[in-house]
Amino acid sequence: MTVYLIKAQCFANNAQCPHEGQYLETFDFEFENGIGHGTFTSDQSKAKQFPSFLEAMEFWRTQSKARELRPDGKPNRPLTALTISIEKYEPEERGCPMSRFN
């Protein structure tokens, strides 16, 4: 079954990102009153999985409820501080170990 992963490329202002090339594992949009905080991993199997490309994009664009607007009046979407790519991923299927004997 194909799933989709969010991969960090750089900050939206093209500044180098310490998470460059890593996959999003978790993200809290409400952390520090809407600043947001995420964890990242280089292990695709530990990354947050989305059932569709669209759902990954919608997650990336999630607006904070703690602080809905930025000082410039635009929606506060903390994760969009990152330029990302969305990659297809095929997780390994883990079947019953006994099935190999049938």
Side-chain angles (χ1 to χ4, degrees):
M1 174 180 80
T2 301
V3 296
Y4 296 82
L5 311 177
I6 294 176
K7 187 175 186 179
Q9 300 300 321
C10 62
F11 286 118
N13 63 0
N14 288 323
Q16 188 171 9
C17 175
H19 311 297
E20 182 178 349
Q22 295 185 342
Y23 299 91
L24 181 69
E25 190 171 6
T26 65
F27 200 85
D28 178 358
F29 295 96
E30 311 315 324
F31 181 81
E32 293 284 331
N33 195 33
I35 291 175
H37 179 266
T39 59
F40 295 81
T41 180
S42 56
D43 184 346
Q44 290 178 313
S45 69
K46 293 180 180 177
K48 184 168 181 60
Q49 298 179 3
F50 299 90
S52 71
F53 181 92
L54 181 59
E55 288 182 61
M57 284 296 295
E58 288 173 351
F59 187 84
W60 175 68
R61 293 178 41 84
T62 298
Q63 186 172 354
S64 169
K65 292 177 180 82
R67 183 186 307 159
E68 293 183 358
L69 301 176
R70 304 183 317 203
D72 63 6
K74 293 183 180 178
N76 179 31
R77 297 180 174 128
L79 194 49
T80 63
L82 286 175
T83 298
I84 60 151
S85 60
I86 297 175
E87 295 186 358
K88 286 183 180 180
Y89 175 63
E90 299 283 339
E92 288 184 26
E93 300 230 0
R94 290 192 171 100
C96 174
M98 296 302 290
S99 65
R100 67 177 180 258
F101 300 112
N102 294 334

